[in-house]
Amino acid sequence: MVQSDALASVSGIRSGKDGAAPAEKSGAAAAGAVLRGARRARKRFERAEVRRFTWRSRRRRTIWTVALGSSVVLLGGVIAAAYSPLMALRTIDVVGADRVGTEQVVGALDDQIGTPLPLIDFTRVKEQLASFTLIESFVTESRPPGTLVVRIVEREPIGVITSETGFDLVDAAGVRIESSAERPAGYPQIEAPDGVGSAGFLAAGEVIHALPDGIRTELDSVAAATTDDVTLGLIGGAKVVWGSAEQSELKAVVLAALMVGHPTGSVNEYDVSSPNSAVLR
């Protein structure tokens, strides 16, 4: 009897331990699930915070990416259009040509016809126009879709010098503009013993440029052996002692005033070499 009760007690104790084990396991599993859920929630929270604090930079990256892509597409379109046959040179307009023949200039550049405007060889254009001695300078302007404008500045003649063939009309640098057997009207004869390009010739050119039109039309000759002895001969025989080319603007004003008060024919010589103390003779 006693043995049976002991066995029963032992059996009851074992039953009680076996019954408590599933409950403990269930609690541990629940705690683990809660912990994992907390971790997931924490990760979601952290990702949300990262997105919240970086949305501006992501937005800027998106804007820059879209802008860069648009620029690349636009640039590609512009380049494709610029180099397409639609932008090929078809017309050459020459502006400022008087002594230089417009047809000659166009003919010299016609090998550029058909070339897209961005691919025109301007080095070649410069070489071709350099052969025209009457052209002092020029500028070009590309005018889409197919026009090249050439603006020319021609050499300005200042006087004539004698040559083996007669008379050469020259500019201030001594470049021959044209030649003729007879002296061209309206231009003074330049007398420089050392020839064009000499100090005397250059000084004479400076003085001629400084003269107003009213005096220039009265000019018959300019003589200069050096830079300091420029002398003007006026139509009618009067002489102007000019001296050096310095203060030419002031000397021109003084001479104009003297010629108003003392017209040519009434004096033999105007001396403006010292413009502040001009002399009449």
Side-chain angles (χ1 to χ4, degrees), residues 225-256:
T226 68
T227 58
D228 298 321
D229 65 347
V230 180
T231 302
L232 311 182
L234 302 179
I235 297 173
K239 183 172 70 172
V240 180
V241 178
W242 196 271
S244 71
E246 295 179 358
Q247 296 184 292
S248 286
E249 290 77 11
L250 176 58
K251 292 177 181 179
V253 172
V254 172
L255 177 59

PDB file of all heavy atoms in Angstrom, residues 225-256:
ATOM      1  N   ALA A 225      61.587 114.712 -96.375  1.00  0.00           N
ATOM      2  CA  ALA A 225      62.797 113.893 -96.435  1.00  0.00           C
ATOM      3  C   ALA A 225      63.013 113.157 -95.119  1.00  0.00           C
ATOM      4  O   ALA A 225      63.553 112.051 -95.091  1.00  0.00           O
ATOM      5  CB  ALA A 225      64.010 114.771 -96.751  1.00  0.00           C
ATOM      6  N   THR A 226      62.588 113.801 -94.020  1.00  0.00           N
ATOM      7  CA  THR A 226      62.693 113.188 -92.687  1.00  0.00           C
ATOM      8  C   THR A 226      61.364 113.377 -91.967  1.00  0.00           C
ATOM      9  O   THR A 226      60.406 113.937 -92.520  1.00  0.00           O
ATOM     10  CB  THR A 226      63.819 113.836 -91.864  1.00  0.00           C
ATOM     11  OG1 THR A 226      63.463 115.196 -91.551  1.00  0.00           O
ATOM     12  CG2 THR A 226      65.146 113.821 -92.637  1.00  0.00           C
ATOM     13  N   THR A 227      61.324 112.949 -90.713  1.00  0.00           N
ATOM     14  CA  THR A 227      60.085 113.106 -89.942  1.00  0.00           C
ATOM     15  C   THR A 227      59.865 114.541 -89.488  1.00  0.00           C
ATOM     16  O   THR A 227      58.761 114.871 -89.030  1.00  0.00           O
ATOM     17  CB  THR A 227      60.128 112.199 -88.691  1.00  0.00           C
ATOM     18  OG1 THR A 227      61.277 112.548 -87.909  1.00  0.00           O
ATOM     19  CG2 THR A 227      60.199 110.733 -89.080  1.00  0.00           C
ATOM     20  N   ASP A 228      60.872 115.386 -89.594  1.00  0.00           N
ATOM     21  CA  ASP A 228      60.767 116.737 -89.027  1.00  0.00           C
ATOM     22  C   ASP A 228      60.656 117.847 -90.057  1.00  0.00           C
ATOM     23  O   ASP A 228      60.657 119.030 -89.688  1.00  0.00           O
ATOM     24  CB  ASP A 228      61.999 117.020 -88.145  1.00  0.00           C
ATOM     25  CG  ASP A 228      62.095 116.052 -86.972  1.00  0.00           C
ATOM     26  OD1 ASP A 228      61.026 115.736 -86.397  1.00  0.00           O
ATOM     27  OD2 ASP A 228      63.217 115.615 -86.652  1.00  0.00           O
ATOM     28  N   ASP A 229      60.580 117.517 -91.348  1.00  0.00           N
ATOM     29  CA  ASP A 229      60.564 118.599 -92.346  1.00  0.00           C
ATOM     30  C   ASP A 229      59.448 118.425 -93.370  1.00  0.00           C
ATOM     31  O   ASP A 229      59.655 118.597 -94.566  1.00  0.00           O
ATOM     32  CB  ASP A 229      61.923 118.697 -93.041  1.00  0.00           C
ATOM     33  CG  ASP A 229      62.238 117.451 -93.874  1.00  0.00           C
ATOM     34  OD1 ASP A 229      61.520 116.440 -93.714  1.00  0.00           O
ATOM     35  OD2 ASP A 229      63.179 117.492 -94.682  1.00  0.00           O
ATOM     36  N   VAL A 230      58.265 118.132 -92.884  1.00  0.00           N
ATOM     37  CA  VAL A 230      57.113 117.984 -93.780  1.00  0.00           C
ATOM     38  C   VAL A 230      56.687 119.362 -94.284  1.00  0.00           C
ATOM     39  O   VAL A 230      56.520 120.309 -93.505  1.00  0.00           O
ATOM     40  CB  VAL A 230      55.938 117.301 -93.059  1.00  0.00           C
ATOM     41  CG1 VAL A 230      54.745 117.164 -94.005  1.00  0.00           C
ATOM     42  CG2 VAL A 230      56.355 115.946 -92.517  1.00  0.00           C
ATOM     43  N   THR A 231      56.529 119.460 -95.593  1.00  0.00           N
ATOM     44  CA  THR A 231      56.103 120.723 -96.214  1.00  0.00           C
ATOM     45  C   THR A 231      54.957 120.438 -97.169  1.00  0.00           C
ATOM     46  O   THR A 231      55.005 119.484 -97.959  1.00  0.00           O
ATOM     47  CB  THR A 231      57.262 121.376 -96.991  1.00  0.00           C
ATOM     48  OG1 THR A 231      58.360 121.599 -96.108  1.00  0.00           O
ATOM     49  CG2 THR A 231      56.829 122.700 -97.600  1.00  0.00           C
ATOM     50  N   LEU A 232      53.915 121.261 -97.085  1.00  0.00           N
ATOM     51  CA  LEU A 232      52.745 121.088 -97.947  1.00  0.00           C
ATOM     52  C   LEU A 232      52.759 122.144 -99.047  1.00  0.00           C
ATOM     53  O   LEU A 232      53.103 123.311 -98.799  1.00  0.00           O
ATOM     54  CB  LEU A 232      51.447 121.229 -97.130  1.00  0.00           C
ATOM     55  CG  LEU A 232      51.329 120.441 -95.824  1.00  0.00           C
ATOM     56  CD1 LEU A 232      49.964 120.682 -95.198  1.00  0.00           C
ATOM     57  CD2 LEU A 232      51.579 118.958 -96.054  1.00  0.00           C
ATOM     58  N   GLY A 233      52.382 121.746-100.249  1.00  0.00           N
ATOM     59  CA  GLY A 233      52.197 122.684-101.352  1.00  0.00           C
ATOM     60  C   GLY A 233      50.721 122.775-101.675  1.00  0.00           C
ATOM     61  O   GLY A 233      50.063 121.754-101.926  1.00  0.00           O
ATOM     62  N   LEU A 234      50.170 123.978-101.639  1.00  0.00           N
ATOM     63  CA  LEU A 234      48.741 124.175-101.886  1.00  0.00           C
ATOM     64  C   LEU A 234      48.502 124.562-103.335  1.00  0.00           C
ATOM     65  O   LEU A 234      49.377 125.122-104.005  1.00  0.00           O
ATOM     66  CB  LEU A 234      48.188 125.257-100.956  1.00  0.00           C
ATOM     67  CG  LEU A 234      48.355 125.024 -99.450  1.00  0.00           C
ATOM     68  CD1 LEU A 234      47.786 126.205 -98.672  1.00  0.00           C
ATOM     69  CD2 LEU A 234      47.698 123.719 -99.027  1.00  0.00           C
ATOM     70  N   ILE A 235      47.318 124.243-103.809  1.00  0.00           N
ATOM     71  CA  ILE A 235      46.937 124.666-105.158  1.00  0.00           C
ATOM     72  C   ILE A 235      46.939 126.193-105.199  1.00  0.00           C
ATOM     73  O   ILE A 235      46.344 126.857-104.354  1.00  0.00           O
ATOM     74  CB  ILE A 235      45.544 124.121-105.521  1.00  0.00           C
ATOM     75  CG1 ILE A 235      45.553 122.585-105.550  1.00  0.00           C
ATOM     76  CG2 ILE A 235      45.070 124.684-106.854  1.00  0.00           C
ATOM     77  CD1 ILE A 235      44.189 121.966-105.733  1.00  0.00           C
ATOM     78  N   GLY A 236      47.629 126.766-106.146  1.00  0.00           N
ATOM     79  CA  GLY A 236      47.768 128.221-106.223  1.00  0.00           C
ATOM     80  C   GLY A 236      49.168 128.669-105.881  1.00  0.00           C
ATOM     81  O   GLY A 236      49.523 129.832-106.098  1.00  0.00           O
ATOM     82  N   GLY A 237      49.986 127.747-105.309  1.00  0.00           N
ATOM     83  CA  GLY A 237      51.386 128.073-105.100  1.00  0.00           C
ATOM     84  C   GLY A 237      51.805 128.336-103.672  1.00  0.00           C
ATOM     85  O   GLY A 237      53.002 128.376-103.384  1.00  0.00           O
ATOM     86  N   ALA A 238      50.888 128.546-102.747  1.00  0.00           N
ATOM     87  CA  ALA A 238      51.282 128.809-101.365  1.00  0.00           C
ATOM     88  C   ALA A 238      51.878 127.555-100.741  1.00  0.00           C
ATOM     89  O   ALA A 238      51.560 126.423-101.109  1.00  0.00           O
ATOM     90  CB  ALA A 238      50.085 129.284-100.554  1.00  0.00           C
ATOM     91  N   LYS A 239      52.761 127.788 -99.760  1.00  0.00           N
ATOM     92  CA  LYS A 239      53.454 126.685 -99.089  1.00  0.00           C
ATOM     93  C   LYS A 239      53.092 126.678 -97.606  1.00  0.00           C
ATOM     94  O   LYS A 239      52.867 127.731 -97.014  1.00  0.00           O
ATOM     95  CB  LYS A 239      54.964 126.826 -99.287  1.00  0.00           C
ATOM     96  CG  LYS A 239      55.775 125.687 -98.696  1.00  0.00           C
ATOM     97  CD  LYS A 239      57.241 125.788 -99.082  1.00  0.00           C
ATOM     98  CE  LYS A 239      57.908 126.959 -98.387  1.00  0.00           C
ATOM     99  NZ  LYS A 239      59.386 126.970 -98.594  1.00  0.00           N
ATOM    100  N   VAL A 240      53.078 125.501 -97.019  1.00  0.00           N
ATOM    101  CA  VAL A 240      52.820 125.354 -95.583  1.00  0.00           C
ATOM    102  C   VAL A 240      54.008 124.636 -94.967  1.00  0.00           C
ATOM    103  O   VAL A 240      54.305 123.493 -95.318  1.00  0.00           O
ATOM    104  CB  VAL A 240      51.531 124.551 -95.297  1.00  0.00           C
ATOM    105  CG1 VAL A 240      51.326 124.438 -93.785  1.00  0.00           C
ATOM    106  CG2 VAL A 240      50.333 125.205 -95.958  1.00  0.00           C
ATOM    107  N   VAL A 241      54.686 125.328 -94.055  1.00  0.00           N
ATOM    108  CA  VAL A 241      55.778 124.696 -93.315  1.00  0.00           C
ATOM    109  C   VAL A 241      55.156 123.988 -92.116  1.00  0.00           C
ATOM    110  O   VAL A 241      54.642 124.634 -91.191  1.00  0.00           O
ATOM    111  CB  VAL A 241      56.817 125.747 -92.856  1.00  0.00           C
ATOM    112  CG1 VAL A 241      57.925 125.065 -92.043  1.00  0.00           C
ATOM    113  CG2 VAL A 241      57.401 126.483 -94.049  1.00  0.00           C
ATOM    114  N   TRP A 242      55.192 122.678 -92.153  1.00  0.00           N
ATOM    115  CA  TRP A 242      54.508 121.879 -91.137  1.00  0.00           C
ATOM    116  C   TRP A 242      55.462 121.393 -90.046  1.00  0.00           C
ATOM    117  O   TRP A 242      55.090 121.274 -88.893  1.00  0.00           O
ATOM    118  CB  TRP A 242      53.838 120.679 -91.813  1.00  0.00           C
ATOM    119  CG  TRP A 242      52.798 120.001 -90.964  1.00  0.00           C
ATOM    120  CD1 TRP A 242      52.982 118.991 -90.066  1.00  0.00           C
ATOM    121  CD2 TRP A 242      51.410 120.296 -90.942  1.00  0.00           C
ATOM    122  NE1 TRP A 242      51.791 118.630 -89.488  1.00  0.00           N
ATOM    123  CE2 TRP A 242      50.795 119.425 -90.018  1.00  0.00           C
ATOM    124  CE3 TRP A 242      50.605 121.213 -91.629  1.00  0.00           C
ATOM    125  CZ2 TRP A 242      49.430 119.434 -89.750  1.00  0.00           C
ATOM    126  CZ3 TRP A 242      49.243 121.233 -91.371  1.00  0.00           C
ATOM    127  CH2 TRP A 242      48.681 120.346 -90.435  1.00  0.00           C
ATOM    128  N   GLY A 243      56.668 121.078 -90.424  1.00  0.00           N
ATOM    129  CA  GLY A 243      57.613 120.533 -89.460  1.00  0.00           C
ATOM    130  C   GLY A 243      57.385 119.051 -89.259  1.00  0.00           C
ATOM    131  O   GLY A 243      57.184 118.303 -90.214  1.00  0.00           O
ATOM    132  N   SER A 244      57.386 118.605 -87.994  1.00  0.00           N
ATOM    133  CA  SER A 244      57.188 117.189 -87.709  1.00  0.00           C
ATOM    134  C   SER A 244      55.697 116.852 -87.704  1.00  0.00           C
ATOM    135  O   SER A 244      54.830 117.737 -87.731  1.00  0.00           O
ATOM    136  CB  SER A 244      57.788 116.837 -86.343  1.00  0.00           C
ATOM    137  OG  SER A 244      57.008 117.395 -85.304  1.00  0.00           O
ATOM    138  N   ALA A 245      55.397 115.545 -87.640  1.00  0.00           N
ATOM    139  CA  ALA A 245      54.000 115.099 -87.610  1.00  0.00           C
ATOM    140  C   ALA A 245      53.384 115.223 -86.226  1.00  0.00           C
ATOM    141  O   ALA A 245      52.185 114.980 -86.060  1.00  0.00           O
ATOM    142  CB  ALA A 245      53.913 113.654 -88.089  1.00  0.00           C
ATOM    143  N   GLU A 246      54.179 115.632 -85.232  1.00  0.00           N
ATOM    144  CA  GLU A 246      53.641 115.812 -83.889  1.00  0.00           C
ATOM    145  C   GLU A 246      52.690 117.005 -83.852  1.00  0.00           C
ATOM    146  O   GLU A 246      52.875 117.992 -84.566  1.00  0.00           O
ATOM    147  CB  GLU A 246      54.776 116.020 -82.889  1.00  0.00           C
ATOM    148  CG  GLU A 246      55.696 114.802 -82.738  1.00  0.00           C
ATOM    149  CD  GLU A 246      56.815 115.057 -81.749  1.00  0.00           C
ATOM    150  OE1 GLU A 246      56.882 116.195 -81.217  1.00  0.00           O
ATOM    151  OE2 GLU A 246      57.628 114.138 -81.527  1.00  0.00           O
ATOM    152  N   GLN A 247      51.658 116.905 -83.008  1.00  0.00           N
ATOM    153  CA  GLN A 247      50.634 117.949 -82.853  1.00  0.00           C
ATOM    154  C   GLN A 247      49.941 118.269 -84.177  1.00  0.00           C
ATOM    155  O   GLN A 247      49.503 119.405 -84.406  1.00  0.00           O
ATOM    156  CB  GLN A 247      51.247 119.237 -82.274  1.00  0.00           C
ATOM    157  CG  GLN A 247      51.794 119.091 -80.861  1.00  0.00           C
ATOM    158  CD  GLN A 247      52.295 120.407 -80.307  1.00  0.00           C
ATOM    159  OE1 GLN A 247      53.293 120.957 -80.778  1.00  0.00           O
ATOM    160  NE2 GLN A 247      51.591 120.930 -79.309  1.00  0.00           N
ATOM    161  N   SER A 248      49.821 117.249 -85.040  1.00  0.00           N
ATOM    162  CA  SER A 248      49.224 117.505 -86.357  1.00  0.00           C
ATOM    163  C   SER A 248      47.784 117.978 -86.251  1.00  0.00           C
ATOM    164  O   SER A 248      47.338 118.816 -87.048  1.00  0.00           O
ATOM    165  CB  SER A 248      49.311 116.241 -87.221  1.00  0.00           C
ATOM    166  OG  SER A 248      50.631 116.027 -87.679  1.00  0.00           O
ATOM    167  N   GLU A 249      47.030 117.462 -85.278  1.00  0.00           N
ATOM    168  CA  GLU A 249      45.636 117.892 -85.141  1.00  0.00           C
ATOM    169  C   GLU A 249      45.563 119.378 -84.807  1.00  0.00           C
ATOM    170  O   GLU A 249      44.746 120.121 -85.373  1.00  0.00           O
ATOM    171  CB  GLU A 249      44.923 117.070 -84.062  1.00  0.00           C
ATOM    172  CG  GLU A 249      44.665 115.611 -84.428  1.00  0.00           C
ATOM    173  CD  GLU A 249      45.918 114.759 -84.325  1.00  0.00           C
ATOM    174  OE1 GLU A 249      46.934 115.253 -83.773  1.00  0.00           O
ATOM    175  OE2 GLU A 249      45.898 113.599 -84.791  1.00  0.00           O
ATOM    176  N   LEU A 250      46.412 119.816 -83.863  1.00  0.00           N
ATOM    177  CA  LEU A 250      46.421 121.230 -83.496  1.00  0.00           C
ATOM    178  C   LEU A 250      46.891 122.090 -84.668  1.00  0.00           C
ATOM    179  O   LEU A 250      46.327 123.171 -84.949  1.00  0.00           O
ATOM    180  CB  LEU A 250      47.324 121.447 -82.282  1.00  0.00           C
ATOM    181  CG  LEU A 250      47.516 122.900 -81.814  1.00  0.00           C
ATOM    182  CD1 LEU A 250      46.183 123.541 -81.473  1.00  0.00           C
ATOM    183  CD2 LEU A 250      48.474 122.962 -80.632  1.00  0.00           C
ATOM    184  N   LYS A 251      47.902 121.635 -85.362  1.00  0.00           N
ATOM    185  CA  LYS A 251      48.420 122.391 -86.511  1.00  0.00           C
ATOM    186  C   LYS A 251      47.353 122.528 -87.590  1.00  0.00           C
ATOM    187  O   LYS A 251      47.242 123.590 -88.240  1.00  0.00           O
ATOM    188  CB  LYS A 251      49.655 121.705 -87.077  1.00  0.00           C
ATOM    189  CG  LYS A 251      50.866 121.742 -86.147  1.00  0.00           C
ATOM    190  CD  LYS A 251      52.046 120.967 -86.732  1.00  0.00           C
ATOM    191  CE  LYS A 251      53.233 120.994 -85.790  1.00  0.00           C
ATOM    192  NZ  LYS A 251      54.397 120.242 -86.308  1.00  0.00           N
ATOM    193  N   ALA A 252      46.560 121.490 -87.776  1.00  0.00           N
ATOM    194  CA  ALA A 252      45.496 121.551 -88.784  1.00  0.00           C
ATOM    195  C   ALA A 252      44.448 122.592 -88.399  1.00  0.00           C
ATOM    196  O   ALA A 252      43.946 123.334 -89.267  1.00  0.00           O
ATOM    197  CB  ALA A 252      44.851 120.171 -88.931  1.00  0.00           C
ATOM    198  N   VAL A 253      44.113 122.682 -87.110  1.00  0.00           N
ATOM    199  CA  VAL A 253      43.136 123.679 -86.657  1.00  0.00           C
ATOM    200  C   VAL A 253      43.694 125.086 -86.868  1.00  0.00           C
ATOM    201  O   VAL A 253      42.986 126.000 -87.347  1.00  0.00           O
ATOM    202  CB  VAL A 253      42.785 123.442 -85.170  1.00  0.00           C
ATOM    203  CG1 VAL A 253      41.924 124.592 -84.637  1.00  0.00           C
ATOM    204  CG2 VAL A 253      42.060 122.119 -85.004  1.00  0.00           C
ATOM    205  N   VAL A 254      44.955 125.287 -86.506  1.00  0.00           N
ATOM    206  CA  VAL A 254      45.581 126.606 -86.667  1.00  0.00           C
ATOM    207  C   VAL A 254      45.646 126.987 -88.142  1.00  0.00           C
ATOM    208  O   VAL A 254      45.341 128.138 -88.521  1.00  0.00           O
ATOM    209  CB  VAL A 254      46.992 126.598 -86.032  1.00  0.00           C
ATOM    210  CG1 VAL A 254      47.732 127.901 -86.360  1.00  0.00           C
ATOM    211  CG2 VAL A 254      46.897 126.409 -84.523  1.00  0.00           C
ATOM    212  N   LEU A 255      46.033 126.046 -88.999  1.00  0.00           N
ATOM    213  CA  LEU A 255      46.124 126.334 -90.429  1.00  0.00           C
ATOM    214  C   LEU A 255      44.762 126.691 -91.008  1.00  0.00           C
ATOM    215  O   LEU A 255      44.641 127.625 -91.823  1.00  0.00           O
ATOM    216  CB  LEU A 255      46.708 125.128 -91.167  1.00  0.00           C
ATOM    217  CG  LEU A 255      46.805 125.257 -92.689  1.00  0.00           C
ATOM    218  CD1 LEU A 255      47.688 126.457 -93.082  1.00  0.00           C
ATOM    219  CD2 LEU A 255      47.343 123.970 -93.308  1.00  0.00           C
ATOM    220  N   ALA A 256      43.722 125.979 -90.591  1.00  0.00           N
ATOM    221  CA  ALA A 256      42.382 126.272 -91.097  1.00  0.00           C
ATOM    222  C   ALA A 256      41.967 127.692 -90.707  1.00  0.00           C
ATOM    223  O   ALA A 256      41.379 128.427 -91.516  1.00  0.00           O
ATOM    224  CB  ALA A 256      41.386 125.252 -90.551  1.00  0.00           C
TER     225      ALA A 256
END
